[in-house]
Amino acid sequence: MNRRLRAARKRTAALATSLSLLAYGTALAATAGVAADVATASPADAAAAAESSPALTPPMGYNNYYVTLCKGTLTEADVKRTADLMVSQGLTAAGYQYVNLDDCWQAQERDSSGNLAPDPVRFPNGMKALADYVHSKGMKFGIYSSAGIKTCGGLPASFNHEQQDADQFASWGVDYLKYDNCGNDGIDVYPRFKAMGEALKATGRPIVYSICDGGENKPWKWTPRVGDLWRTTTDTGDNWQKVINRAHLNQRLAQYAGPGAWNDPDMLMVGRGRMTDTEYRTQFSLWSMMAAPLLMSTDLSKVSAASLETLRNTDVIAVDQDPLGKQGTVISNSGGLVVMSKPLHDGSRAVSLTNETDTTQTLTTTATAAGVPGAASYTVKDLWTKNISTSTGTISASVPSHGTVMYRITPAT
Ligand code: GLA
């Protein structure tokens, strides 16, 4: 890492630490009176995450799961093509960084040395060569395993092989591990996930550690903290009800998020084709308001121009990636009209107005309600239309059914 990069990283970490400590205070207040076994991350945890995590902002990238499921069809050529498309379609320029393989990349059995190995037919050149290819495109490479005997797809997993597999991943050049909870035989969850976290750290390679238990064991409450992000919900789908339900579940957990500690309501469905462009823009807006990982899972060789435009909205992405690392919160919710506010590092706020109902509705809030520092007037940028206007405090919009209007509100100087 060069000096400038190191200094920038240190500044982000310092900012992140102070913000995480603030978030911790809020978390404590919110959980006061809750049963003693419900622990939250300590200030030391938050500071450590902000200092040492390779994911100081929510990870952005691609995961093949919803495209191929575990059908055993994904090949190294597909992965390379996806990486190429991410570059040629301007997705890497917009911030997407990780090319992540989900379950079912593995051979049916470990190799003769007991190591995990890729399916020899679909990945004939092995994982190191594939990771090298992804790296040569300026991107990072992710892989999947499970804290059990078998993965969810019934393939060899990493329980009791944590260090061996972490070392194997590091030697391939893996930058991101999604770690599932299938095949666990009912063994205590925390030690199993902690073991892989420690094994990854022991490799000396920065590897983002993504916990995937479908939110079943509330990994956001584990202490000491384990993982850079954790799934908060079961699997989603290309369906409005599923996506909005994942949003609702994740919105409740804002207090646990911070740099190096992200709530993950599952992948972006944008581009898959069963929802409308309006609904996809809502998912993208809400995921960014919630500082969620932005992991695409659509066939990029078939994605529509409108979906690509959604995925490349750098104003919305900047809200997701804001270095303050605060998850936005719901400030009002009445009859399916939901307003969220997210503080940003420059003193501005992102505000989203989501209409979950079946008819067009007018949603209204104020700069004060959204927590924007008081001012005589505010600059209001619509992050989808790019229109810029001035307001003395009222924020209002007519929002189509299932739509979201998203603003960045800055006190005028
Ligand atoms: C679980 C996870 C999914 C995916 C599959 C793979 O269902 O929640 O995201 O990783 O396993 O088998």
Side-chain angles (χ1 to χ4, degrees), residues 15-163:
L15 182 66
T17 305
S18 43
L19 263 301
S20 302
L21 293 179
L22 257 176
Y24 171 69
T26 320
L28 269 192
T31 53
V34 175
D37 64 325
V38 179
T40 58
S42 70
D45 273 350
E51 189 60 42
S52 67
S53 170
L56 292 179
T57 56
M60 290 178 66
Y62 177 92
N63 174 301
N64 66 281
Y65 183 63
Y66 286 100
V67 181
T68 61
L69 298 172
C70 257
K71 290 186 186 146
T73 52
L74 184 78
T75 65
E76 70 183 30
D78 296 333
V79 179
K80 288 180 171 178
R81 196 174 316 116
T82 296
D84 293 349
L85 284 166
M86 285 171 71
V87 175
S88 65
Q89 292 173 330
L91 290 161
T92 48
Y96 295 88
Q97 211 184 4
Y98 292 92
V99 180
N100 292 350
L101 269 56
D102 209 279
D103 197 1
C104 302
W105 58 270
Q106 311 88 329
Q108 293 295 324
E109 303 292 342
R110 286 177 176 265
D111 69 13
S112 52
S113 317
N115 289 322
L116 287 178
D119 181 284
V121 174
R122 294 181 289 121
F123 299 93
N125 294 298
M127 284 300 160
K128 168 98 174 61
L130 193 51
D132 286 349
Y133 185 86
V134 170
H135 291 151
S136 78
K137 300 279 158 182
M139 283 182 282
K140 295 186 169 175
F141 183 68
I143 212 158
Y144 166 104
S145 191
S146 184
I149 315 293
K150 296 275 185 203
T151 68
C152 303
L155 290 156
S158 297
F159 179 62
N160 268 341
H161 293 269
E162 288 85 0
Q163 195 61 58

Side-chain angles (χ1 to χ4, degrees), residues 96 120 125 266 275 297 360 369 379 395:
Y96 295 88
N125 294 298
D266 207 7
M275 288 164 63
S297 195
T360 298
T379 304
I395 315 293

Side-chain angles (χ1 to χ4, degrees), residues 15-16 19-20 258-259 262 321-326 342-346:
L15 182 66
L19 263 301
S20 302
W262 309 108
Q321 295 289 302
D322 187 82
L324 205 53
K326 292 276 266 179
K342 181 183 197 284
L344 305 173
H345 78 284
D346 61 355

Side-chain angles (χ1 to χ4, degrees), residues 58-62 96 267-268 283-284 287-288 291-296 311 316-317 320-321:
M60 290 178 66
Y62 177 92
Y96 295 88
M267 295 169 226
L268 296 171
Q283 187 189 23
F284 203 70
W287 265 232
S288 297
L294 299 179
L295 294 170
M296 307 174 283
L311 292 165
V316 176
I317 290 172
D320 181 76
Q321 295 289 302

